[in-house]
Amino acid sequence: MTFASVSAVTVTLLLVGVFFVIMMNLNKMATTIEEDVEIRVHIDVAANEKDKDLLEEQISELGGIKSITYSSKEKELDNLIDSLGDKGDSFKLFEQDNPLNDVFIVKTKNPTDTIKAAEKIKKMNYVSSAKYGQGKVEKLFKVIKISRNVGMVLIVGLLFTAMFLISNTIKITIMARRREIEIMRLVGATNAFIRWPFFLEGLWLGILGSIVPIAAVSSAYYYLFDFIQAKLKDQEHFIQLIDFNPFVYQLSAVLLIMGAAIGIWGSLMSVRKFLKV
Amino acid sequence: MIEMQEVSKTYPNGVNALSGINIHIEQGEFVYVVGTSGAGKSTFIKMMYREVRPSEGTISVNGINLSKLRLNKVPLLRRNIGVVFQDFKLLQNLSVYENVAFAMEVIEEQPAVIKRRVMETLELVGLKHKARMLPTELSGGEQQRVSIARSIVNAPKVVIADEPTGNLDPETSWEIMNIFEEINLRGTTIVMATHNKEIVNTIKHRVIAIEGGKIVRDEAKGEYGYES
Ligand SMILES: Nc1ncnc2c1ncn2[C@@H]1O[C@H](COP(=O)(O)OP(=O)(O)OP(=O)(O)O)[C@@H](O)[C@H]1O
Ligand SMILES: [Mg+2]
């Protein structure tokens, strides 16, 4: 029976652990991408310094704006040349007669406000365009939101299933110990005294059950880290996985605590009904 | 020390096990509870240690009013009541010594006190030499002696026994009765439900007879009064 309880904890934590790793990484990716979302406000060439100041003021007055960074067309060209590497050299010709616009790079406090802000900025004077990767961004936000919610629901569901499983397996163990509890009560043991060994047993089951998931998830993350990282490097946007250290240690602590908690909970739940007078 | 006033018990399934019970038992008394099967003896006895609560009436034991007793105080009541059953209720995986010590560990008595008291009590029931054995290695009579030792190890004021000789042969039953006599002589109140006519008619004590959930007879030095 002990084996059954431990396996219940093991299976659950293994699933929770895997989900947790995926969720946390998706979350990190989402945040990285979200933070990357910016509005590039191209300033009309006709604008003088005063007009630009006015425009900057107008944008900052929109509300929910995190930052407005000015980037001159010279700087824009440099960036372009840099990003193209060797091929960029040919663009050096343009340094004489720069066809680019000066830009304001605008970030909103809440990335999802980007679209609204861009629409408003577009209508302002001396704005030739305000771009934010239309369509793509909207889709991305939707995907991120859904995956976060689905992940949370799955984890909560898993935990409840585990508690149910454990309380059932321990209930069977307790049937065997009914007599012991009965005698304890007859000779005047307090409920706290009776619960104590079951508390310890639950704690033990939980800790034992979390060993395999911790080892498995940690080593899997360790070995898969480089492999996945290499694959992701090929992507258009370079996305970094969460570093092994301290993430895996934190994850292990979370799994251990979760194991102990569901073990104790299951154990105390199953002893509860025998303590009613 | 044990008092019941107008006590009745109807189980949730509607069975009316006891009605209109009035009794008064003094400290140091030895009381037999007799009656045919299903008369309500066990129900009567279980109410004394609050295993069963009355539907009506009041019960007090050792000056504690059981109907007003808070749930978390029940353990304290039980520490002053020893209980013995027909089926011994021993823990099979513990030794004789451990089974008796169990009752003291549960109330968190000091180890040195436990050791001394357990050995004294095992000596009283004549099992000191079998302290290390397991219940499965003992005869029925010996097992019952262990359970009696457990019931008195905390020196309770009263010992309640529900058919303690029910599973034992006549000769062993007498041995067990001798132990109860001994305990009673030391001033402990004994309440014993029994079907053993010979014992009741030989070792004379107060007899409370219950029939159909009512007390039909309550006599000092009474007779068993049924054919067994
Ligand atoms: N937990 C219970 N729930 C419902 N009915 C019960 C319960 N315990 C006892 N009874 C009923 O109450 C009545 C009295 O039972 P009780 O056990 O007190 O009898 P008894 O005198 O001890 O009998 P016996 O000599 O066979 O042990 C019986 O009709 C029995 O069926
Ligand atoms: Mg009975």
Side-chain angles (χ1 to χ4, degrees), chain B residues 33-75:
Chain B
V33 180
V34 301
T36 47
S37 191
K41 303 181 295 296
S42 295
T43 306
F44 176 71
I45 270 182
K46 281 178 183 165
M47 289 201 299
M48 295 178 184
Y49 57 96
R50 205 186 177 277
E51 183 67 21
V52 168
R53 303 192 70 182
S55 314
E56 277 169 52
T58 55
I59 303 173
S60 87
V61 176
N62 285 331
I64 301 167
N65 185 340
L66 298 202
S67 32
K68 287 189 181 147
L69 188 65
R70 298 248 316 264
L71 208 62
N72 59 354
K73 294 281 184 282
V74 171

Side-chain angles (χ1 to χ4, degrees), chain A residues 87-103:
Chain A
K87 284 179 265 172
D89 288 345
S90 49
F91 282 84
K92 284 207 169 127
L93 291 171
F94 289 115
E95 273 170 9
Q96 303 311 313
D97 185 16
N98 189 338
L100 298 176
N101 293 73
D102 296 324
V103 294

Side-chain angles (χ1 to χ4, degrees), chain A residues 251-271:
Chain A
L251 174 70
S252 302
V254 167
L255 290 181
L256 190 71
I257 291 168
M258 261 183 192
I262 48 185
I264 290 168
W265 183 87
S267 188
L268 290 186
M269 280 309 280
S270 44
V271 80

Side-chain angles (χ1 to χ4, degrees), chain A residues 60-243:
Chain A
S60 67
E61 276 165 3
L62 277 177
I65 301 297
K66 189 163 91 181
S67 66
I68 306 172
T69 320
Y70 177 74
S71 176
S72 65
K73 56 185 173 187
E74 289 77 26
K75 200 172 163 220
E76 287 293 293
L77 186 62
D78 283 349
N79 286 349
L80 185 65
I81 292 166
D82 281 352
S83 71
L84 291 173
D86 295 340
K87 284 179 265 172
D89 288 345
S90 49
F91 282 84
K92 284 207 169 127
L93 291 171
F94 289 115
E95 273 170 9
Q96 303 311 313
D97 185 16
N98 189 338
L100 298 176
N101 293 73
D102 296 324
V103 294
F104 279 128
I105 298 160
V106 179
K107 286 193 181 184
T108 52
K109 278 181 193 139
N110 190 346
T112 45
D113 289 341
T114 308
I115 300 162
K116 253 192 283 166
E119 290 308 320
K120 285 183 187 155
I121 294 170
K122 259 182 201 162
K123 291 178 191 134
M124 291 174 182
N125 286 334
Y126 298 111
V127 173
S128 70
S129 70
K131 291 185 179 142
Y132 59 89
Q134 262 148 326
K136 244 187 186 173
V137 172
E138 282 152 325
K139 218 183 213 168
L140 179 71
F141 285 151
K142 227 179 240 167
V143 170
I144 289 169
K145 202 170 163 187
I146 291 170
S147 66
R148 274 180 189 165
N149 291 345
V150 167
M152 279 318 291
V153 168
L154 277 173
I155 285 184
V156 170
L158 269 172
L159 285 179
F160 270 102
T161 318
M163 287 181 183
F164 180 75
L165 261 167
I166 290 157
S167 86
N168 264 316
T169 42
I170 294 182
K171 213 170 264 171
I172 301 166
T173 333
I174 280 184
M175 288 312 246
R177 288 169 71 171
R178 241 190 140 130
R179 203 178 178 78
E180 196 177 333
I181 296 174
E182 184 195 352
I183 294 166
M184 280 183 164
R185 291 191 51 220
L186 283 176
V187 295
T190 58
N191 281 355
F193 184 93
I194 297 170
R195 268 193 215 108
W196 182 238
F198 291 97
F199 176 92
L200 287 181
E201 188 174 308
L203 179 69
W204 254 125
L205 289 180
I207 290 175
L208 269 176
S210 63
I211 290 174
V212 170
I214 286 174
V217 174
S218 301
S219 48
Y221 198 70
Y222 182 79
Y223 289 111
L224 287 177
F225 185 80
D226 291 332
F227 177 72
I228 294 175
Q229 195 76 287
K231 292 255 156 181
L232 285 176
K233 244 179 197 145
D234 299 338
Q235 300 297 311
E236 187 182 341
H237 291 285
F238 174 55
I239 296 163
Q240 189 86 24
L241 286 181
I242 303 172
D243 284 337

